[in-house]
Amino acid sequence: MNHAQFKILVIEDDPLESTLFHKLLTQKKYQTTLVAEAESGKKLALEQHFDLIITDFHLPGMSGLDFIRQVHPQRSHLPIILMTADGTVELAIEATKSGAFDYLLKPFNPPTFFETIEKALQASRFMFKKVSIGETLASASTSGPVMLGRCRSMQEIYKEIGRVAALPVTVLIRGETGTGKELIARAIYQHSDRSSKPFIAVNCAAIPETLLEAELFGAEKGAYTGAHARRIGRFEQANGGTIFLDEVGEISLSTQAKLLRVLQERKVQRIGGNEEISIDVRLIAATNRNLEKAIEERHFREDLFYRLSVMALRVPTLRDRKEDIPQIARHFLKRYAHEFGIDSPSISDEAIEFLKNHPWPGNIRQLENTIRKALLEARSFTVQPYHLHIPSDETVIEISPQPKEKKSHSWIEKLLNESLDKPEGSLYQEVIAAVEKELFHKVLEKLNGNQAKASRLLGISRLTLRQKLIQYQIHPLASKITKND
């Protein structure tokens, strides 16, 4: 995350603490504005753009809680973190009900401080940046998220988003990693009647199993080792809005049972607490796993599966919609050219053809990274196939096996027989091409796909090797993770 792009407003009347916050935030390159009174903070919050507000509870004049009550209705997409030394249950609940994204108990350590800020800024990014469907001049030159694709399968996705957005049902988005499941979740949220309320995203695979339950449902102080303060769960933070559980197939069976109970009863109970808290939250989930197989293997609850998939959307892979690759590639080319300050970026037809013939195991995310790196390498020149390191020179890849001929000369005899009845032929060029194609394939196969070694063995440049791979459409499937990818 590029911290320099985020603007944070801090409202703190204690000069020592204000200086400390400024030092911590500027060290992380955040754009920081400091004020000492809630009234001044309110004026700035309503007149200027901020990505996050951090306010103390005890302030001269208006309290931090009253500040939230006055600002949140007018800036519902702006996360506000309340800081306080008063760790009462009533204040925590009241702050959350009033629109606070989260609260911090003083004193707190820097890791906790920055962890809370990162979550709030992520929520800010999700809520502020609208997902565009289809490319526009504005979306091509900014960093805003865009769903692209004119193929039939993507047109159906767009229709499904329109149909499901207005319905108060859970949605399960299925597809491989990198296909854009998060963008679809955000589009559903932004076109729903909850778009003015919070959108909270949780990557279930990125949070340790021991902490995920507390992250989702909250925990009381002392509920487990390390629970030094009350924790408001993500479901409470999303009250009135939408929660997006990415990689929902990775959660444990015990957490699945509690998630099912929350969906059925619309109530959460913090770990270590006795109070049941009513919530009004729409759930959107996503997974790249085969949940039916996980159910058979007893790794996923069947009853939860049916709860999650009231409406189900399946996102196509990039290799299943190759006709969209030119549009997507040129979109990323424009976006990163704008970011890098490159005028009139271009990409050759040969490079586009190369992209269309690649299997893209990492889908759109991999294509985006490839275009970004190619643009940096090409600088202000046209992006050519040799700028597209797919895979990179030192990549270890597996080559799909080729059928073996019983005799080395059988294919020559076949070409000769086919040419005998022609008045004019190109037998020489065909044989040379056939020899080259088999040679390049065999060399790569023997060297386990290492293109740098292959070019040295053949006595040709890497550029010539890449051009030959394109010419003969040798696009081996990348099936191993590489150090340079």
Side-chain angles (χ1 to χ4, degrees):
M1 185 182 290
N2 180 10
H3 294 169
Q5 66 181 315
F6 293 109
K7 297 180 64 177
I8 300 177
L9 173 64
V10 179
I11 309 174
E12 172 60 72
D13 64 323
D14 187 311
L16 291 177
E17 292 193 359
S18 181
T19 302
L20 174 62
F21 293 139
H22 183 266
K23 181 178 179 181
L24 288 172
L25 293 170
T26 53
Q27 281 179 346
K28 292 286 187 177
K29 308 300 183 184
Y30 291 117
Q31 298 182 51
T32 308
T33 302
L34 299 170
V35 295
E37 296 180 348
E39 284 290 351
S40 302
K42 176 184 173 182
K43 187 174 187 296
L44 286 174
L46 298 181
E47 292 178 354
Q48 299 182 25
H49 168 77
F50 291 97
D51 298 288
L52 171 65
I53 295 178
I54 304 172
T55 180
D56 193 22
F57 175 66
H58 292 291
L59 293 169
M62 186 193 309
S63 72
L65 186 58
D66 288 332
F67 169 84
I68 295 171
R69 288 170 175 159
Q70 293 187 28
V71 171
H72 179 70
Q74 300 182 64
R75 292 289 185 271
S76 58
H77 286 162
L78 178 57
I80 305 175
I81 297 173
L82 181 68
M83 301 180 295
T84 178
D86 302 324
T88 64
V89 175
E90 292 76 14
L91 178 58
I93 295 174
E94 197 59 38
T96 306
K97 284 172 58 179
S98 300
F101 174 81
D102 206 342
Y103 74 100
L104 289 167
L105 292 179
K106 295 180 178 180
F108 44 78
N109 56 39
T112 301
F113 180 64
F114 286 120
E115 179 187 356
T116 305
I117 287 176
E118 290 284 335
K119 291 176 182 177
L121 289 174
Q122 183 187 53
S124 175
R125 179 171 61 89
F126 285 150
M127 290 186 284
F128 271 117
K129 291 189 175 180
K130 299 294 184 182
V131 176
S132 301
I133 297 180
E135 187 175 22
T136 64
L137 290 175
S139 65
S141 60
T142 66
S143 59
V146 183
M147 279 193 294
L148 296 172
R150 301 188 182 97
C151 69
R152 185 173 181 178
S153 57
M154 286 306 296
Q155 294 298 324
E156 289 302 315
I157 289 289
Y158 303 152
K159 292 177 186 176
E160 287 296 324
I161 291 173
R163 281 192 283 263
V164 76
L167 302 177
V169 296
T170 57
V171 181
L172 180 63
I173 306 170
R174 311 183 69 172
E176 292 184 6
T177 299
T179 51
K181 298 186 293 294
E182 179 192 293
L183 288 184
I184 292 174
R186 291 166 63 179
I188 291 172
Y189 155 73
Q190 289 166 359
H191 288 85
S192 73
D193 58 1
R194 295 173 180 259
S195 60
S196 63
K197 300 297 183 180
F199 179 88
I200 304 295
V202 182
N203 186 341
C204 300
I207 302 173
E209 182 181 328
T210 54
L211 299 178
L212 182 59
E213 188 178 333
E215 181 77 12
L216 294 176
F217 312 124
E220 295 295 342
K221 181 179 180 180
Y224 55 88
T225 303
H228 302 301
R230 183 180 302 104
R231 187 188 192 108
I232 301 298
R234 307 293 256 172
F235 272 92
E236 283 185 77
Q237 292 175 4
N239 194 31
T242 302
I243 189 167
F244 172 52
L245 300 185
D246 198 7
E247 304 302 349
V248 71
E250 304 303 318
I251 64 178
S252 67
L253 286 170
S254 61
T255 305
Q256 288 177 35
K258 294 182 179 180
L259 176 60
L260 178 64
R261 183 170 177 268
V262 169
L263 293 177
Q264 289 173 335
E265 300 181 9
R266 298 201 171 271
K267 294 180 179 179
V268 293
Q269 185 173 334
R270 301 190 196 107
I271 300 174
N274 298 316
E275 181 187 9
E276 289 192 330
I277 303 160
S278 296
I279 56 166
D280 173 23
V281 175
R282 182 187 192 172
L283 174 64
I284 302 175
T287 184
N288 61 7
R289 291 191 64 186
N290 184 334
L291 292 186
E292 289 83 357
K293 184 178 180 181
I295 291 170
E296 290 179 7
E297 297 172 349
R298 299 193 177 186
H299 294 152
F300 201 84
R301 294 179 61 110
E302 186 173 14
D303 47 4
L304 177 59
F305 171 74
Y306 290 119
R307 275 280 178 178
L308 294 175
S309 58
V310 175
M311 293 290 291
L313 302 179
R314 184 172 291 278
V315 190
T317 64
L318 190 56
R319 61 184 171 274
D320 290 330
R321 54 186 188 107
K322 290 186 176 181
E323 63 267 41
D324 288 336
I325 288 177
Q327 181 197 18
I328 298 171
R330 290 189 172 98
H331 168 79
F332 288 133
L333 195 73
K334 293 177 185 176
R335 170 177 292 182
Y336 287 111
H338 177 78
E339 179 179 315
F340 300 150
I342 298 174
D343 294 328
S344 304
S346 60
I347 184 169
S348 70
D349 292 339
E350 292 80 8
I352 289 292
E353 194 62 28
F354 184 80
L355 294 174
K356 288 176 66 176
N357 284 302
H358 188 70
W360 297 111
N363 292 292
I364 295 175
R365 189 176 300 153
Q366 184 188 7
L367 174 59
E368 178 180 3
N369 291 335
T370 298
I371 294 294
R372 189 174 188 272
K373 288 187 286 187
L375 192 61
L376 284 171
E377 184 172 329
R379 300 178 186 273
S380 297
F381 297 98
T382 298
V383 173
Q384 299 289 352
Y386 51 82
H387 294 129
L388 304 168
H389 299 291
I390 320 170
S392 59
D393 291 332
E394 298 300 329
T395 296
V396 178
I397 54 180
E398 288 187 357
I399 310 297
S400 54
Q402 293 285 336
K404 296 181 179 179
E405 298 285 355
K406 292 183 179 179
K407 296 181 180 180
S408 60
H409 65 273
S410 61
W411 51 269
I412 299 179
E413 185 175 351
K414 180 181 178 183
L415 287 174
L416 176 59
N417 291 334
E418 291 174 351
S419 302
L420 287 176
D421 297 329
K422 297 178 182 179
E424 293 183 7
S426 55
L427 182 60
Y428 175 77
Q429 288 83 358
E430 290 179 21
V431 171
I432 294 300
V435 171
E436 282 192 334
K437 183 173 183 178
E438 185 168 355
L439 174 64
F440 288 126
H441 188 280
K442 290 297 183 184
V443 168
L444 284 170
E445 188 176 34
K446 291 293 184 183
L447 297 177
N448 294 320
N450 191 314
Q451 296 182 40
K453 290 183 179 179
S455 64
R456 291 195 292 268
L457 177 63
L458 291 165
I460 61 177
S461 68
R462 297 181 187 181
L463 172 59
T464 300
L465 176 61
R466 292 193 192 106
Q467 290 174 334
K468 290 295 183 182
L469 295 182
I470 295 168
Q471 178 183 345
Y472 298 125
Q473 296 186 347
I474 301 175
H475 304 297
L477 296 175
S479 59
K480 294 181 179 179
I481 297 175
T482 73
K483 66 180 181 180
N484 289 326
D485 195 339

